[in-house]
Amino acid sequence: MRRYHAFDPPEYVDWSPDPETMLEFSRAIERDPERARRIADLTAQRRLEIYAGLLRFRLHDIALKRWVRQGVISKAWLGTGEEATTIGPVHALERGGPNGDVVGPMIRNAGACHEMGMPVADMLRGYLATEDSPNRGRDLHVGGRRYGIVTPISMVGALAAVIAGYGLGFRKLGTKRLALTWVGDGATKAGEVHEAFNLAATQRLPVIFIIQNNQVALGTRLEEHHAADGFAELGRLYGATGAPFDGNNVLDAYAATHWAAEICRAGEGPVFLAAETFRMSGHATHDEKEARELFSEEEFASWGRRDPIGCYGAWLVNGRLNLETGAQCEPGAATGVNSAALEEVEARVTEEVESAAAEALAGRARMPRPESAVEGVYGTWPESGRQEKDRF
Amino acid sequence: MALIAYREALNQALREEMRRDPDVFLMGEEVGAYQGAYKISQGLLEEFGEWRVRDVPIAELGFTGLGVGAAMVGLRPVIEFMTWSFALLAIDGIVNAAAKMRYMSGGQFKIPITFRGPSGAANQLAATHSQALEAWYAHVPGLKVVAPATARDAKGLLKTAIRDDDPVVFLEGEILYATKDEVPEDDEFLLPLGVAEVKRPGKDVTVVAHSRPLHTALRAAETLEREDGISVEVIDPRTLRPMDVDSILDSVRRTNRCVIVEEGWPVCGIGAQIVDDIQREAFDFLDAPIARVTGADAPQPYARNLEQLAFPQAEYVVRAVRQVCYRG
């Protein structure tokens, strides 16, 4: 895959698969026969869709980074290095628009939006805050009701409770739908998150909580805000099911979530999944320099070798499936065909994101009407009530 | 019509709305098996079952968020706070999630949720359990705020609140639960939000009061009529946002004098907003500066004598009315 010298973390620029890291990657998905079976069931087409999803996320972030450099927007919150934790789970859901499963992404899970069906151009319009953006310029945390995406509440942890409420609603309505959200390692320290976890567990709600441990909360390293040993035990502590997954391995993320979804649909939720991953960029684009100082060069190098897209691509190329024919083959027997298949996906997604950026930028002048600032605060308002907005 | 208690009126409203619409459900601490800390949900668990009368742990912020999520799915949650003082723990969910979701999502999500529970002082519950915080909520765009003073208003307004598509903060008078009033038994007895009611007509001075202080004001009006021959018009806004400012202005334009009574603290209170509305729109009609009677500017004391002094008393209202009438 193409690397972007101007935008990628340095560890990604000359990336090539490290044999030991690739062994770890394979071991992670073969360790549990239950997960291995779910992964084996993925057709060539679905494997390529997951690859496309990862790339779409990375390229969406690069488009934003480019805009920051160009002064189009002031800053952006990226998922660099953590793409697998978002993309794998979304591909394990029943994506049925307004009647399917629902996700509540943090801003660092933006990739969930396009994988749930929101056009990348709409996501980018969210940053530009144009009249035609999903939230009409009210917030850059975009959601889309018709795609099953909750508009994120930017208070970290708030979504855990709201998503549990979706689970309550689904359960009450007697549907088999489920709701999923990601909770950062930092947000696990908010009281509301504990309340939400317990409320979901005591009511057995169909909710998947993914603890996305990227080892840092803004500028505070994990060990400074978390004294326990990881998050893998969380489910048990709440009397619910739980399991860890490799947050840089999109297949492990997919398989763990696929398993968790079955548990939820059987009325045995919630499920707590703990993903170990690493933030390769800053909290946002404004503090990338400070972020590099939080961890050693060795830590960046180690996590850099585990680039979720590079690793997954290398696994697909050398894998046991011919991605063109869908037929099984000896490992490494279809590298040429498979590389070509990935290149084709990459060309298509690159074109998609570039067009989306151009399309969004072309509408940059379509800013919300001034009077819309005070519109839509309420659904209904009585005639007898004083209209404070008239003073605007 | 039947003479029933404020508590029973709320119970009727909940029961009728839950029968009418299967999407309506009640959630809160002790609302089910215990039938409500103040017995507002008496009999509801038995009739509607545990999925429509949800007991939840002590987690105000968490179950507020759950309610918002359930509303986003399309249900109509009624969230009970054991008291509004406990809702301080949930205020992030009320202000940042419930009130803003419609706006922030560009209108994609509506949040038809009612937050309700007892507000204000009862008997010696002291500083952390006795607060009248309606001004906090009325400050927030995206919330509607209702504070009924009578059983009739409580029933009609709660039913309307539950049917409303916006988040409604519904503050019940904790001390009013046992007070009785003639209440229509009609299932479709609805009172509109944003409409004040003149509770006692008069011509010399307008007293504006909601919730418990309405009754204080009415007692003061009787005293003033009897002792001073002052004819007091008492008007209850009933909903604080939207506020029926026009009805208050109409009254003030007739009486030319105004006293505003509230249980909350004086600084940035509900009355301060009403004073602002009056001075901007009816300044030339005023014959005296507007007076306010509020809770004392201190945490609520426990000692009975201090507690009495700290809340608006009829004699304080009498004094304020005499002052704006330049008497005594």
Side-chain angles (χ1 to χ4, degrees):
Chain A
M1 71 185 266
R2 183 183 160 190
R3 300 291 175 168
Y4 295 79
H5 290 247
F7 302 110
D8 277 330
E11 291 76 12
Y12 285 179
V13 170
D14 295 312
W15 194 91
S16 63
D18 167 61
E20 202 174 314
T21 306
M22 290 311 299
L23 265 178
E24 268 175 45
F25 187 95
S26 295
R27 276 201 291 267
I29 58 181
E30 287 158 11
R31 194 178 298 130
D32 175 356
E34 179 71 8
R35 290 191 196 177
R37 175 181 65 77
R38 292 170 198 276
I39 293 164
D41 285 347
L42 283 169
T43 61
Q45 193 196 333
R46 293 200 63 196
R47 290 174 190 207
L48 289 172
E49 282 167 6
I50 292 172
Y51 187 69
L54 290 169
L55 276 175
R56 200 174 279 120
F57 194 176
R58 179 75 54 87
L59 294 172
H60 160 269
D61 281 2
I62 286 175
L64 287 175
K65 238 173 154 174
R66 187 177 286 121
W67 280 1
V68 172
R69 298 267 176 87
Q70 294 169 343
V72 175
I73 54 176
S74 55
K75 60 179 169 177
W77 287 258
L78 311 177
T80 317
E82 304 176 52
E83 294 91 345
T85 302
T86 299
I87 304 299
V90 172
H91 279 255
L93 299 178
E94 294 292 333
R95 287 170 284 172
N99 302 311
D101 294 338
V102 162
V103 297
M106 303 184 289
I107 198 159
R108 216 173 290 296
N109 308 111
C113 295
H114 53 66
E115 293 315 284
M116 290 297 285
M118 182 180 281
V120 173
D122 280 350
M123 296 172 61
L124 296 174
R125 287 186 182 105
Y127 266 96
L128 296 175
T130 49
E131 169 67 28
D132 52 1
S133 67
N135 299 346
R136 300 176 61 204
R138 272 89 187 270
D139 199 346
L140 56 83
H141 300 79
V142 294
R145 189 167 190 275
R146 63 181 154 142
Y147 307 111
I149 309 162
V150 175
T151 299
I153 300 159
S154 52
M155 308 300 290
V156 295
L159 272 176
V162 170
I163 279 292
Y166 266 85
L168 177 68
F170 291 159
R171 176 104 193 242
K172 269 180 59 60
L173 294 169
T175 73
K176 289 285 180 195
R177 299 164 70 188
L178 65 85
L180 179 152
T181 191
W182 294 262
V183 181
D185 51 287
T188 61
K189 306 302 161 247
E192 183 171 16
V193 169
H194 161 67
E195 293 184 15
F197 285 175
N198 188 55
L199 283 159
T202 52
Q203 302 182 81
R204 305 229 68 88
L205 301 180
V207 177
I208 301 174
F209 295 111
I210 298 178
I211 313 303
Q212 181 166 342
N213 176 14
N214 68 1
Q215 320 299 329
V216 62
L218 207 158
T220 304
R221 290 199 316 271
L222 180 72
E223 64 268 24
E224 293 165 14
H225 71 74
H226 181 79
D229 184 20
F231 297 93
E233 293 294 302
L234 257 189
R236 190 175 60 77
L237 295 175
Y238 284 98
T241 312
F245 70 79
D246 179 346
N248 280 40
N249 187 322
V250 75
L251 292 169
D252 201 33
Y254 164 84
T257 310
H258 197 262
W259 164 80
E262 264 179 28
I263 294 170
C264 287
R265 289 191 222 284
E268 299 296 321
V271 180
F272 293 77
L273 299 176
E276 291 290 323
T277 184
F278 189 75
R279 191 184 76 191
M280 291 295 289
S281 54
H283 171 67
T285 48
H286 66 281
D287 68 349
E288 295 202 327
K289 187 170 165 292
E290 292 95 319
R292 295 293 298 193
E293 291 160 5
L294 288 168
F295 297 95
S296 68
E297 281 304 306
E298 291 73 31
E299 282 167 298
F300 273 100
S302 164
W303 285 99
R305 283 193 291 277
R306 305 182 60 208
D307 170 24
I309 311 183
C311 287
Y312 179 52
W315 182 86
L316 284 175
V317 167
N318 299 306
R320 296 190 174 96
L321 200 66
N322 181 315
L323 295 171
E324 197 178 276
T325 65
Q328 295 288 324
C329 66
E330 287 301 309
T335 50
V337 170
N338 287 349
S339 294
L342 297 194
E343 278 164 26
E344 199 182 305
V345 167
E346 184 173 349
R348 177 169 55 79
V349 175
T350 306
E351 156 62 20
E352 176 196 329
V353 176
E354 281 176 2
S355 312
E359 188 189 325
L361 206 53
R364 194 183 171 190
R366 280 197 293 272
M367 295 309 286
R369 292 170 295 109
E371 59 272 28
S372 74
V374 288
E375 289 172 356
V377 177
Y378 293 93
T380 58
W381 192 257
E383 278 178 27
S384 55
R386 187 49 54 104
Q387 297 263 356
E388 291 302 318
K389 70 179 183 182
D390 293 344
R391 294 183 194 164
F392 180 69
Chain B
M1 296 280 240
L3 187 68
I4 62 167
Y6 189 102
R7 166 186 288 115
E8 174 63 18
L10 293 166
N11 180 273
Q12 277 184 11
L14 285 167
R15 192 184 299 273
E16 288 170 12
E17 292 310 299
M18 288 176 77
R19 282 181 184 161
R20 175 181 174 270
D21 181 353
D23 288 341
V24 176
F25 73 103
L26 177 67
M27 180 160 64
E29 294 159 7
E30 310 291 359
V31 296
Y34 193 78
Q35 314 210 55
Y38 292 87
K39 303 301 174 201
I40 306 302
S41 52
Q42 189 105 37
L44 297 184
L45 175 66
E46 190 185 1
E47 177 169 350
F48 298 103
E50 62 167 0
W51 282 98
R52 296 192 63 198
V53 182
R54 300 295 292 156
D55 274 325
V56 285
I58 302 172
E60 280 81 4
L61 181 53
F63 64 74
T64 293
L66 243 68
V68 171
M72 290 169 80
V73 176
L75 298 172
R76 285 188 182 271
V78 178
I79 304 297
E80 175 171 316
F81 294 117
M82 199 178 282
T83 95
W84 273 99
S85 283
F86 300 168
L88 287 170
L89 293 159
I91 203 159
D92 177 64
I94 298 170
V95 173
N96 274 328
K100 293 179 183 154
M101 182 53 76
R102 177 188 285 274
Y103 182 84
M104 288 198 306
S105 69
Q108 294 183 72
F109 294 97
K110 63 175 184 179
I111 309 293
I113 193 168
T114 303
F115 300 107
R116 49 154 292 272
S119 171
N123 290 315
Q124 289 189 283
L125 293 176
T128 62
H129 285 49
S130 306
Q131 301 166 91
L133 298 171
E134 47 265 47
W136 290 37
Y137 298 100
H139 189 59
V140 180
L143 297 179
K144 292 172 178 171
V145 182
V146 183
T150 67
R152 181 178 179 277
D153 290 351
K155 180 174 180 184
L157 288 166
L158 181 56
K159 286 167 71 73
T160 304
I162 291 170
R163 296 188 194 186
D164 199 277
D165 277 348
D166 294 315
V168 179
V169 166
F170 194 93
L171 302 128
E172 299 154 9
E174 185 163 331
I175 203 78
L176 301 177
Y177 279 145
T179 59
K180 291 190 173 174
D181 192 16
E182 293 287 345
V183 178
E185 288 163 290
D186 178 7
D187 280 5
E188 286 301 307
F189 170 59
L190 299 165
L191 289 172
L193 304 188
V195 177
E197 187 172 71
V198 174
K199 298 288 187 181
R200 176 193 169 107
K203 56 183 178 43
D204 295 331
V205 59
T206 300
V207 174
V208 184
H210 66 273
S211 196
R212 170 162 83 164
L214 171 71
H215 304 282
T216 313
L218 289 170
R219 279 198 304 281
E222 281 169 26
T223 306
L224 287 156
E225 182 90 67
R226 193 174 59 243
E227 295 182 7
D228 304 72
I230 296 175
S231 166
V232 179
E233 175 146 302
V234 180
I235 183 164
D236 180 359
R238 301 193 291 192
T239 62
L240 307 175
R241 186 182 181 112
M243 173 81 80
D244 181 3
V245 176
D246 289 330
S247 290
I248 297 169
L249 293 174
D250 286 348
S251 178
V252 171
R253 286 186 183 118
R254 281 187 281 104
T255 63
N256 313 108
R257 300 170 199 274
C258 185
V259 172
I260 303 160
V261 192
E262 67 186 302
E263 190 169 320
W265 293 307
V267 178
C268 303
I270 295 290
Q273 177 62 40
I274 297 173
V275 168
D276 172 59
D277 283 310
I278 295 171
Q279 67 83 20
R280 269 185 294 113
E281 302 196 35
F283 183 80
D284 291 337
F285 290 86
L286 290 174
D287 286 343
I290 300 163
R292 291 177 63 203
V293 177
T294 70
D297 196 15
Q300 292 78 359
Y302 168 70
R304 190 176 289 279
N305 67 321
L306 296 183
E307 183 181 57
Q308 289 297 313
L309 292 170
F311 293 105
Q313 302 297 313
E315 63 180 277
Y316 304 171
V317 180
V318 166
R319 200 184 308 146
V321 168
R322 286 176 181 152
Q323 178 195 320
V324 301
C325 293
Y326 298 111
R327 307 248 200 118

